[in-house]
């Protein structure tokens, strides 16, 4: 049995970001057929059972990989140092995830002469919204891509960034889309009576384009003053967005729900007419698949990776809030449009599964 | 001698402009005439002009139809094409088919409107070409016994439609049949037609490349009185670009047909020289579109049905000079969500990016018109 050492950062139920969800779902499946050991910072003293081995590195993370400050960078470097010492040299493959595990990955490859796989969930360009990306992080990402024997990108959109912005041979990059936990989202029967609710669900950051959501809300409000716009999520930009919304006189139109758990999110999707993701640069966009799985139509930016595999969503440039507003109004006004986008979208979303993701990841391992 | 009955359909809709909800009550230009002009000019250069010149040079008798709304746009943007058409008819004895002027679906919901459209088409074609044309080709070959009954009120002699799988399992499309009301009915030989219109330049096709000798051999070995080759006029030069060798093929095909004991004839000439082989009754609507060959290309999903119902309900209040152009079937065709192979064909023709965009656009326009002319009812 092949042995894979996975260098991770977060794992539900703790720090359940996109990276954590990916790690849990993918390796729960691969853990059944491969000898998987996941290395993560020690986030608990409790003994939690997973379908794969978990080795907690004695290091308190305190922070999310999405934070963009100096302290966080230093913490990543510290974690990577410790990781190298605790790594078991008997693994056949080292699998790193995003820049936060790259320094250790590269050193371990040199030290033990093992094959190195690098999954790129997002690049510094995405996280910065293409606005002053941090050079030192770009450098780490580039080094990781150079050192890796194979790179996995979560979309063709991301593969393009890897080859064009980092000058990496695209032949080395395999695109593997994320899956969705279908049982959680798809077991509901959505009804398409008008709820008059428009949903934004995700971190409130420049990357996700929350500002454009507010702009669209302002434009829709002129035509449908009764429509409620929900911002569910937290992030660096939350206060700025709240102020922006207030400055446009949308106090009674836009409501901020704060942090929302996974189970609450299902309810939110169900109770909304349409989900909006106007991301400036979104490598995949798992929430789009979640929303569609529930049967809620989605309006997404053209710079959202998952859009490349979807016909039954509405796509606009993230900055084109006139067009986004036209789409929102149409979905709210025209019931047949809601129904058709919802029903066909649900069908299309059902094609995404973690089993597929696992199978394709296995092919990458086997090709080494 | 077996006859080759070639029928070419030329049609371009008057495409609707990109119309946002925010435009309602403000904008009044519902038609994307800049785009329409660009497309008409392009297709004229790629297809109409070179193909008509070729047909004229060989004086080969075939049947053509140019939809009323295409002729209108040609007069406006590319009048050399209608002139060339005239020259072709003079040189060859070719035939013009008649159809619903606005290329609409009126035949399936409003017989009165349908008859008016066909009469208008007949009148205008008679006026230009000074001839009574008596071959009917309804929008996209849509046909059933009901349509046979409706057109009985007109001076129509021949009807063209699709040879669907279920029909040709009982009736060889290489013969002429009679309809219940006594019209001659011609069934498209879709295999041999699609060999040119769809497969000609397809390198994956095991018969690629298609040369005229091979093709004429197939025709001469296909048993019956005639071969009905019905296809889009735009096949020549637009769908199959000149670089594919389509014009060289067409020339050789015309020139060598006689060597295979094959002769070109118009629909009407064929009807005069061939005895029909019995009667065909077709209960459900058929068409030549998509794989199901029924109405689903236009009315296959809820979005299309929604638009069609609204359109019908606004008949009495929207001014006719706008309403007629909204009836063109293409506006609904763009909203098809179809199956995978058909989707490729649909998106090739779709100027709006997606079926959903086409729906939203059309729906917004109908909303504007409803508020403007129908007191919001």
């Amino acid at each position: 049995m092949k042995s894979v050492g996975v260098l991770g950062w977060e794992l539900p139920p703790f720090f359940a970001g996109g990276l954590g969800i990916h790690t849990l779902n993918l390796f729960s499946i691969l853990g059944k057929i491969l000898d998987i050991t996941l290395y993560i910072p020690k986030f608990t003293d409790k003994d939690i059972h997973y379908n794969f081995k978990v080795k907690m590195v004695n290091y308190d993370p305190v922070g999310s990989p999405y934070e963009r400050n100096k302290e966080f960078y230093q913490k990543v470097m510290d974690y990577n140092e410790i990781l190298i010492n605790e790594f078991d040299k008997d693994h056949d493959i080292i699998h790193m995830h995003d820049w936060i595990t790259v320094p250790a990955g590269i050193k371990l490859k040199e030290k033990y002469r093992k094959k190195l796989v690098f999954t790129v969930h997002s690049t510094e360009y995405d996280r910065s919204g293409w606005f002053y990306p941090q050079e030192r992080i770009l450098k780490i990402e580039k080094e990781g891509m150079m050192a890796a024997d194979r790179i996995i990108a979560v979309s063709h959109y991301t593969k393009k960034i890897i080859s064009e912005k980092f000058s990496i041979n695209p032949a080395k990059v395999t695109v593997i889309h994320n899956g969705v936990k279908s049982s959680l989202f798809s077991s509901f029967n959505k009804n398409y009576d008008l709820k008059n609710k428009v949903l934004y669900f995700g971190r409130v950051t420049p990357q996700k384009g929350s500002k454009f959501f507010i702009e669209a809300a302002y434009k829709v409000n002129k035509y449908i003053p009764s429509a409620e716009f929900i911002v569910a999520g937290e992030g660096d930009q939350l206060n700025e967005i709240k102020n922006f919304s207030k400055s446009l006189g949308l106090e009674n139109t836009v409501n901020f729900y704060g942090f929302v758990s996974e189970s609450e999110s299902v309810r939110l999707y169900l109770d909304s007419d349409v989900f909006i993701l106007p991301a400036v640069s979104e490598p995949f966009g798992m929430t789009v698949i979640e929303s569609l799985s529930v049967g809620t139509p989605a309006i997404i930016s053209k710079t959202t990776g998952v859009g490349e595999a979807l016909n039954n969503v509405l796509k606009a440039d993230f900055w084109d809030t006139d067009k986004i507003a036209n789409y929102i109004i149409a979905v709210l006004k025209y019931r047949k449009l809601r129904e058709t986008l919802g029903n066909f979208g649900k069908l299309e979303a059902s094609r995404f599964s973690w089993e597929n993701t696992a199978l394709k990841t296995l092919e990458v391992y086997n090709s080494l | 001698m077996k006859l080759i009955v070639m029928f070419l359909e030329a049609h371009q809709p008057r495409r609707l402009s990109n119309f946002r909800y925010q435009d309602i009550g403000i904008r009044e230009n519902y038609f994307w005439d800049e785009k329409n002009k660009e497309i008409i000019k392009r297709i004229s250069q790629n297809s109409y002009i070179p193909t008509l010149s070729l047909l004229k040079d060989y004086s080969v008798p075939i049947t053509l139809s140019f939809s009323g709304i295409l002729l209108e746009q040609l007069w406006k943007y590319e009048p050399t094409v209608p002139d060339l058409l005239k020259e072709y008819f003079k040189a060859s004895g070719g035939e013009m088919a008649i159809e619903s002027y606005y290329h609409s679906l009126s035949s399936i919901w409003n017989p009165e409107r349908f008859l008016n459209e066909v009469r208008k088409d007949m009148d205008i074609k008679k006026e230009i070409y000074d001839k009574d044309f008596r071959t009917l080709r309804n929008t996209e070959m849509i046909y059933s016994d009901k349509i046979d009954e409706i057109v009985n009120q007109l001076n129509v002699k021949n009807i063209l439609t699709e040879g669907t799988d279920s029909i040709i399992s009982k009736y060889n499309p290489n013969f002429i049949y009679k309809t219940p009301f006594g019209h001659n009915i011609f069934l498209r030989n879709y295999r041999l037609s699609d060999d040119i219109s769809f497969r000609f330049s397809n390198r994956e096709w095991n018969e690629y490349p298609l040369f005229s000798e091979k093709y004429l051999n197939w025709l001469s070995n296909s048993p019956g009185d005639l071969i009905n080759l019905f296809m889009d006029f735009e096949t020549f030069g637009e769908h199959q670009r000149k670089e594919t060798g389509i014009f060289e093929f067409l020339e050789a095909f015309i020139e060598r047909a006689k060597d295979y004991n094959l002769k070109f004839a118009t629909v009407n000439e064929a009807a005069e020289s061939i005895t029909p082989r019995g009667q065909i009754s077709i209960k459900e609507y058929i068409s030549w579109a998509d794989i199901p060959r029924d109405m689903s290309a236009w009315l296959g999903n809820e979005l299309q049905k929604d638009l069609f119902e609204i359109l019908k309900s606004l008949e009495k209040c929207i001014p006719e000079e706008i309403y007629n152009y909204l009836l063109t079937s293409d506006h609904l065709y763009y909203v098809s969500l179809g199956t995978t192979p058909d989707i490729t064909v649909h998106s090739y023709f779709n100027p709006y990016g997606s079926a959903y965009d086409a729906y939203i656009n059309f729906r917004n326009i109908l909303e504007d018109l409803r508020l403007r002319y129908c007191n919001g009812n």
Side-chain angles (χ1 to χ4, degrees):
Chain A
M1 203 195 277
K2 238 178 213 157
S3 166
V4 184
V6 181
L7 311 183
W9 184 267
E10 55 171 21
L11 189 64
F14 303 94
F15 308 109
L19 180 56
I21 293 170
H22 180 102
T23 308
L24 177 64
N25 286 290
L26 175 63
F27 294 106
S28 292
I29 299 166
L30 287 177
K32 294 178 197 163
I33 36 175
L34 298 172
D35 175 26
I36 303 278
T37 305
L38 173 71
Y39 295 83
I40 39 165
K42 192 174 182 71
F43 51 74
T44 179
D45 289 323
K46 276 188 234 153
D47 191 21
I48 303 172
H49 177 75
Y50 294 97
N51 278 351
F52 45 87
K53 288 177 215 150
V54 175
K55 195 159 174 189
M56 302 222 192
V57 175
N58 206 357
Y59 178 75
D60 178 12
V62 202
S64 126
Y66 309 112
E67 277 178 32
R68 302 180 50 74
N69 55 41
K70 259 191 200 148
E71 296 75 38
F72 181 69
Y73 180 84
Q74 196 46 53
K75 278 174 194 160
V76 168
M77 294 305 133
D78 296 347
Y79 168 61
N80 275 265
E81 276 303 318
I82 302 170
L83 197 50
I84 295 165
N85 299 326
E86 305 224 357
F87 193 79
D88 177 353
K89 64 176 175 19
D90 291 332
H91 297 303
D92 304 305
I93 295 168
I94 308 163
H95 189 164
M96 48 188 190
H97 291 264
D98 275 1
W99 74 276
I100 41 186
T101 62
V102 162
I106 295 175
K107 291 223 173 89
L108 287 166
K109 177 183 168 157
E110 284 167 6
K111 194 169 167 189
Y112 299 120
R113 308 255 156 222
K114 303 290 180 181
K115 294 293 180 187
L116 184 62
V117 177
F118 182 13
T119 294
V120 180
H121 300 268
S122 70
T123 68
E124 177 61 11
Y125 292 112
D126 304 304
R127 290 183 301 269
S128 66
W130 298 84
F131 193 71
Y132 291 111
Q134 300 177 51
E135 284 299 332
R136 59 182 178 180
I137 294 178
L138 289 175
K139 190 167 163 275
I140 292 173
E141 288 176 336
K142 165 106 182 177
E143 284 165 1
M145 292 171 191
M146 303 272 282
D149 296 286
R150 292 291 295 275
I151 298 168
I152 294 171
V154 294
S155 61
H156 291 278
Y157 174 74
T158 295
K159 178 174 177 169
K160 200 162 175 243
I161 293 173
I162 292 170
S163 67
E164 289 179 5
K165 300 301 291 185
F166 292 92
S167 308
I168 298 294
N169 178 1
K172 193 166 138 178
V173 187
T174 306
V175 172
I176 304 180
H177 288 138
N178 286 324
V180 66
K181 227 205 260 167
S182 53
S183 54
L184 181 62
F185 295 98
S186 59
S187 53
F188 297 91
N189 263 332
K190 169 113 180 167
N191 91 52
Y192 289 96
D193 294 342
L194 183 67
K195 293 154 189 82
N196 234 355
K197 285 189 175 129
V198 182
L199 175 66
Y200 173 95
F201 172 47
R203 281 176 297 110
V204 183
T205 60
Q207 179 196 357
K208 303 276 177 179
S210 24
K211 184 169 164 280
F212 303 104
F213 178 73
I214 305 295
E215 262 184 47
Y218 175 72
K219 289 175 178 175
V220 172
N221 184 251
K222 290 186 191 164
Y223 300 92
I224 312 178
S226 58
E228 182 192 352
F229 286 75
I230 298 165
V231 176
E234 294 173 324
D236 306 345
Q237 218 189 0
L238 187 58
N239 278 330
E240 187 192 329
I241 291 297
K242 279 183 176 168
N243 290 334
F244 181 52
S245 165
K246 207 188 272 174
S247 74
L248 294 174
L250 297 173
E251 291 96 328
N252 300 321
T253 301
V254 182
N255 290 316
F256 293 86
Y257 283 27
F259 176 78
V260 166
S261 72
E262 197 178 44
S263 57
E264 288 168 320
S265 76
V266 179
R267 182 51 50 198
L268 261 186
Y269 287 129
L270 265 178
D271 289 345
S272 304
D273 297 294
V274 59
F275 169 77
I276 319 288
L277 181 55
V280 173
S281 190
E282 172 66 63
F284 187 73
M286 224 181 286
T287 47
V288 178
I289 301 294
E290 291 173 2
S291 177
L292 295 181
S293 297
V294 167
T296 301
I299 300 170
I300 66 174
S301 63
K302 291 177 183 170
T303 38
T304 293
V306 71
E308 72 201 22
L310 295 170
N311 288 317
N312 297 286
V313 292
L314 301 174
K315 297 171 200 170
D317 289 306
F318 64 84
W319 46 261
D320 193 352
T321 49
D322 281 328
K323 187 167 187 181
I324 294 172
N326 174 42
Y327 281 159
I328 294 173
I329 298 168
V331 171
L332 294 178
K333 290 267 182 192
Y334 309 142
R335 184 190 174 109
K336 291 286 178 203
L337 181 64
R338 278 203 300 282
E339 274 181 25
T340 309
L341 277 168
N343 291 329
F344 280 73
K346 185 168 183 151
L347 205 67
E348 211 169 22
S350 68
R351 292 204 321 251
F352 292 83
S353 76
W354 287 109
E355 284 75 15
N356 273 339
T357 311
L359 213 65
K360 288 185 177 154
T361 305
L362 190 63
E363 282 171 18
V364 170
Y365 290 162
N366 288 340
S367 74
L368 290 168
Chain B
M1 199 178 239
K2 204 187 293 175
L3 301 180
I4 298 173
V5 177
M6 200 165 188
F7 165 78
L8 302 182
E9 167 68 23
H11 163 68
Q12 288 300 323
R14 206 172 156 202
R15 289 166 195 79
L16 299 169
S17 56
N18 284 298
F19 200 96
R20 290 184 179 171
Y21 193 89
Q22 296 95 313
D23 295 325
I24 290 176
I26 298 167
R27 251 175 83 176
E28 271 184 89
N29 47 338
Y30 305 110
F31 300 99
W32 197 359
D33 285 333
E34 201 180 313
K35 181 84 173 177
N36 293 324
K37 179 179 179 179
E38 174 201 317
I39 292 177
I40 296 284
K41 283 195 155 292
R42 186 191 74 217
I43 297 181
S44 295
Q45 292 310 318
N46 287 347
S47 173
Y48 302 148
I49 294 172
T51 310
L52 282 171
S53 306
L54 193 155
L55 294 171
K56 186 188 80 176
D57 290 348
Y58 283 92
S59 306
V60 55
I62 69 165
T63 303
L64 299 170
S65 183
F66 276 61
S67 69
I69 48 172
L70 171 60
L71 284 172
E72 280 186 6
Q73 297 186 85
L74 285 168
W75 287 321
K76 204 163 157 191
Y77 306 127
E78 196 64 69
T80 48
V81 175
D83 290 344
L84 200 52
L85 256 175
K86 249 187 202 171
E87 290 172 34
Y88 163 70
F89 286 124
K90 206 189 270 171
S92 66
E95 178 189 16
M96 183 69 115
I98 47 172
E99 60 177 298
S100 54
Y101 186 92
Y102 296 102
H103 206 86
S104 74
L105 301 180
S106 59
S107 61
I108 67 158
W109 68 282
N110 194 328
E112 199 56 36
R113 186 171 275 283
F114 173 60
L115 287 169
N116 285 338
E117 275 195 54
V118 178
R119 285 194 191 103
K120 180 168 178 168
D121 201 58
M122 268 176 158
D123 290 349
I124 208 146
K125 285 171 178 171
K126 179 173 179 166
E127 194 184 307
I128 311 165
Y129 307 108
D130 196 27
K131 238 174 143 176
D132 280 313
F133 296 111
R134 297 178 64 193
T135 295
L136 176 85
R137 179 273 191 197
N138 189 22
T139 307
E140 308 293 333
M141 304 277 174
I142 293 166
Y143 178 78
S144 80
D145 288 350
K146 282 177 222 150
I147 289 169
D148 178 45
E149 184 177 352
I150 299 169
V151 299
N152 202 36
Q153 301 181 43
L154 300 166
N155 189 16
V156 163
K157 207 172 118 191
N158 314 303
I159 298 175
L160 310 184
T161 191
E162 175 71 9
T164 62
D165 280 325
S166 89
I167 295 170
I168 63 171
S169 66
K170 285 176 249 142
Y171 304 93
N172 180 344
N174 297 353
F175 292 111
I176 300 175
Y177 301 91
K178 283 279 181 194
T179 68
F181 281 84
H183 302 111
N184 299 310
I185 187 164
F186 288 66
L187 305 171
R188 184 170 87 108
N189 187 319
Y190 79 79
R191 288 205 180 85
L192 289 168
S193 300
D194 290 350
D195 284 338
I196 301 179
S197 56
F198 283 126
R199 289 181 282 274
F200 180 76
S201 62
N202 180 1
R203 286 162 192 271
E204 309 293 306
W205 184 31
N206 55 9
E207 299 291 351
Y208 179 89
L210 184 64
F211 291 115
S212 61
E213 294 85 350
K214 176 158 66 178
Y215 187 66
L216 283 161
N217 246 321
W218 293 346
L219 263 54
S220 95
N221 291 331
S222 185
D225 295 335
L226 77 174
I227 312 281
N228 292 320
L229 302 178
F230 303 169
M231 58 196 92
D232 280 342
F233 195 112
E234 293 86 353
T235 298
F236 299 95
E238 176 69 17
H239 307 335
Q240 308 289 351
R241 294 300 166 111
K242 72 166 188 281
E243 294 77 14
T244 65
I246 190 75
F247 290 118
E248 288 79 0
F249 171 84
L250 181 60
E251 260 185 283
F253 173 56
I254 294 167
E255 228 173 305
R256 291 179 192 157
K258 58 180 182 310
D259 304 339
Y260 293 78
N261 212 20
L262 294 161
K263 191 184 148 206
F264 281 88
T266 65
V267 170
N268 204 44
E269 285 165 354
E272 279 170 5
S273 66
I274 294 171
T275 315
R277 291 276 173 137
Q279 201 187 71
I280 291 190
S281 169
I282 297 167
K283 302 286 180 215
E284 303 293 330
Y285 289 116
I286 58 167
S287 78
W288 75 354
D290 288 2
I291 293 180
R293 304 283 207 270
D294 55 14
M295 296 304 295
S296 58
W298 308 278
L299 297 171
N301 67 46
E302 293 300 314
L303 296 178
Q304 295 171 308
K305 288 178 198 163
D306 187 41
L307 291 170
F308 194 51
E309 287 309 313
I310 295 166
L311 191 56
K312 289 196 285 190
S313 75
L314 301 179
E315 185 192 10
K316 294 282 178 278
C317 47
I318 299 177
E320 280 287 307
E321 67 269 23
I322 298 169
Y323 190 70
N324 279 321
Y325 295 96
L326 302 178
L327 293 175
T328 305
S329 61
D330 305 61
H331 305 318
L332 293 173
Y333 184 85
Y334 300 142
V335 185
S336 172
L337 293 160
T339 50
T340 317
D342 293 331
I343 271 292
T344 318
V345 179
H346 283 262
S347 37
Y348 168 80
F349 288 107
N350 195 334
Y352 306 102
S354 80
Y356 294 106
D357 285 293
Y359 171 85
I360 293 168
N361 225 35
F362 196 1
R363 187 69 187 78
N364 285 342
I365 287 175
L366 290 173
E367 193 63 11
D368 177 280
L369 292 164
R370 193 175 68 86
L371 294 168
R372 201 182 289 267
Y373 297 108
C374 309
N375 302 319
N377 292 321

